[in-house]
């Protein structure tokens, strides 16, 4: 009976009879977006790595305190938000809409904590003289600023977009206008954003520590 209802719901979304793939169209669309976005970040990470290796005087502007400590705190907030997103999807799978919405809001809170700390870090670096075309630590490596701001800025934009996306999902799901699949799809996006940071954090911060 339950499986029949699910099948009917799928058919009503697809409208073409049998589903063409084993997963829903929303989830498939998100996976395609993640694959394409992965290529973008992969290109940026490879470009940053090339510049890092090719420049003998690559700037080392980050100190263990406060730079790495703050970046680690940012990482903590982002990973914690992934955990709350998992709990939100789990609550949604059980049909507990209010609990799922609360965990999504906690996820958004973790995302904004990350953004605020990141923005404060940018403010400090800009105050020290870091610009897109120059930096105060290694004037013969003018691309450091452009590479740093492009890579971290694009990721921060993804986090910001994710919090807006999740807010829409939380509001609509709590009111019964969305299904579990919508929560699950938004979770895929959020975990992808967190995974990208796991590449950026060691490459940009840990390999540029001034000991």
């Amino acid at each position: 009976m339950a499986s029949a209802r699910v099948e009917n719901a799928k058919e009503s979304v697809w409208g073409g009879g049998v589903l063409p793939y084993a997963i829903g169209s929303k989830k498939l669309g998100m996976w395609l977006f993640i694959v394409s976005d992965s290529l973008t970040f992969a290109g940026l990470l490879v470009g940053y790595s090339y510049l890092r290796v090719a420049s003998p005087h690559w700037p080392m502007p980050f100190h263990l305190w406060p730079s790495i400590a703050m970046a680690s705190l940012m990482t903590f907030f982002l990973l914690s938000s992934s955990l709350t997103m998992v709990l939100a999807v789990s609550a949604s799978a059980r049909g507990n809409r209010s609990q799922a919405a609360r965990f999504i809001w906690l996820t958004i809170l973790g995302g904004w904590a990350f953004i605020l700390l990141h923005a404060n870090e940018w403010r400090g670096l800009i105050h020290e003289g870091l610009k897109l075309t120059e930096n105060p630590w290694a004037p013969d490596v003018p691309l450091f600023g452009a590479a740093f701001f492009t890579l971290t800025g694009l990721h921060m934009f993804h986090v910001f977009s994710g919090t807006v996306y999740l807010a829409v999902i939380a509001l609509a799901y709590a009111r019964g206008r969305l299904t579990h699949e919508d929560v699950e799809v938004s979770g895929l996006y959020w975990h992808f954003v967190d995974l990208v940071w796991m590449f950026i954090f060691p490459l940009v911060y840990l390999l540029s520590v001034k000991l």
Side-chain angles (χ1 to χ4, degrees), residues 127-209:
H127 182 72
E128 290 182 37
L130 180 61
K131 299 178 182 177
L132 285 175
T133 56
E134 59 183 87
N135 70 83
W137 309 286
D140 58 334
V141 189
L143 288 177
F144 173 76
F148 174 81
F149 284 129
T150 300
L151 187 55
T152 60
L154 183 63
H155 179 263
M156 190 157 46
F157 174 73
H158 276 67
V159 176
F160 170 75
S161 303
T163 59
V164 175
Y165 174 34
L166 290 179
V168 173
I169 294 293
L171 290 172
Y173 184 73
R175 295 173 183 174
R177 295 178 181 174
L178 294 177
T179 64
H180 168 63
E181 184 185 23
D182 296 295
V183 177
E184 204 173 11
V185 169
S186 65
L188 284 176
Y189 175 84
W190 193 255
H191 294 317
F192 165 70
V193 171
D194 289 359
L195 180 63
V196 170
W197 179 252
M198 291 297 99
F199 289 93
I200 295 176
F201 177 55
L203 180 64
V204 175
Y205 292 90
L206 297 184
L207 293 180
S208 296
V209 178

Side-chain angles (χ1 to χ4, degrees), residues 1 20 23-24 26 33 35 40 45-46 48 58-59 76 96 107 121 123 131-132 134 150 169 175 187 192 198:
M1 188 69 173
I23 61 174
K26 294 176 183 176
F33 169 78
V35 170
T40 301
L45 289 168
V46 170
Y48 185 94
W58 188 256
F76 169 77
N96 192 333
T107 303
E121 180 203 31
R123 184 188 61 79
K131 299 178 182 177
L132 285 175
E134 59 183 87
T150 300
I169 294 293
R175 295 173 183 174
F192 165 70
M198 291 297 99

Side-chain angles (χ1 to χ4, degrees), residues 59-97:
M60 308 286 276
F62 303 118
H63 299 268
L64 288 177
W65 177 265
S67 305
I68 299 302
M70 287 298 108
S72 299
L73 187 59
M74 289 156 52
T75 304
F76 169 77
F77 280 124
L78 212 52
L79 291 179
S80 298
S81 69
S82 253
L83 175 62
T84 54
M85 194 66 227
V86 169
L87 295 174
V89 173
S90 176
S92 170
R94 297 192 304 273
N96 192 333
R97 289 182 176 271

